[in-house]
Amino acid sequence: MADATIEISREQKALEKAKRYSAWSAGAGLIPVPGLDLIAISGVQLKMLAEIAAIYDVPFQKELGKEMLSGLLGSLVPLQIAHGAASAFKAVPLFGSFAALLLQPALSGAAAYAIAKVFILHFESGGTFLNFEPSKVRDHFLKEFESARAGVKAETSASTS
């Protein structure tokens, strides 16, 4: 009898990691302590990058990963402001916590998924962390982020109907 194992592509494996870590990133956005949530989100995203890099046999260095994330996310000022605002909202009694619960997880999950998609494309084309240029993928990142955010909104509205 023939072996019926199905080979899963590296891209499929990486996308599975992206989905899992997007959920973890959204969950980290629920941490009620301002600032601690952002640290947790960054940690989740770094771990995601390390695992995706391993799938592609790309050496991962934590400091270089942080630099790449900062370069990618730092170029998106509105996203950073929204993340910071969502975290700061948590300091406002009742209303702030509720508003942050709606905003931060969605932004965090969408950002993680967009980051993953950009790096998967880069690694699929033979790229490494050493030749990754955040400024060159900014537009693609924005499209992936908006697409992921729209998907989260669609899932949320479907589950509440």
Side-chain angles (χ1 to χ4, degrees), residues 17-135:
K17 295 278 185 193
K19 289 175 189 172
R20 182 176 315 119
Y21 279 98
S22 293
W24 279 103
S25 187
L30 293 172
I31 294 173
V33 180
L36 184 58
D37 56 345
L38 298 178
I39 292 169
I41 291 164
S42 296
V44 167
Q45 291 172 350
L46 276 173
K47 178 77 170 138
M48 176 186 70
L49 277 183
E51 290 192 20
I52 290 173
I55 291 169
Y56 288 93
D57 298 320
V58 173
F60 178 78
Q61 296 173 348
K62 187 176 180 178
E63 291 305 314
L64 194 54
K66 284 181 184 178
E67 186 179 317
M68 297 301 113
L69 281 177
S70 294
L72 191 56
L73 292 173
S75 66
L76 305 172
V77 175
L79 176 61
Q80 290 298 345
I81 291 170
H83 269 287
S87 182
F89 271 146
K90 292 176 182 177
V92 178
L94 298 176
F95 170 76
S97 296
F98 180 72
L101 278 175
L102 296 176
L103 182 61
Q104 186 76 12
L107 290 174
S108 302
Y113 196 75
I115 289 165
K117 292 281 286 195
V118 166
F119 275 95
I120 290 168
L121 181 65
H122 182 67
F123 294 153
E124 281 285 323
S125 67
T128 67
F129 286 104
L130 296 176
N131 63 8
F132 182 78
E133 295 182 51
S135 62

Side-chain angles (χ1 to χ4, degrees), residues 126-154:
T128 67
F129 286 104
L130 296 176
N131 63 8
F132 182 78
E133 295 182 51
S135 62
K136 290 188 176 181
V137 296
R138 181 179 303 135
D139 290 339
H140 181 64
F141 175 77
L142 278 170
K143 288 176 189 168
E144 292 293 347
F145 175 76
E146 289 303 324
S147 176
R149 199 167 75 166
V152 168
K153 284 181 183 176

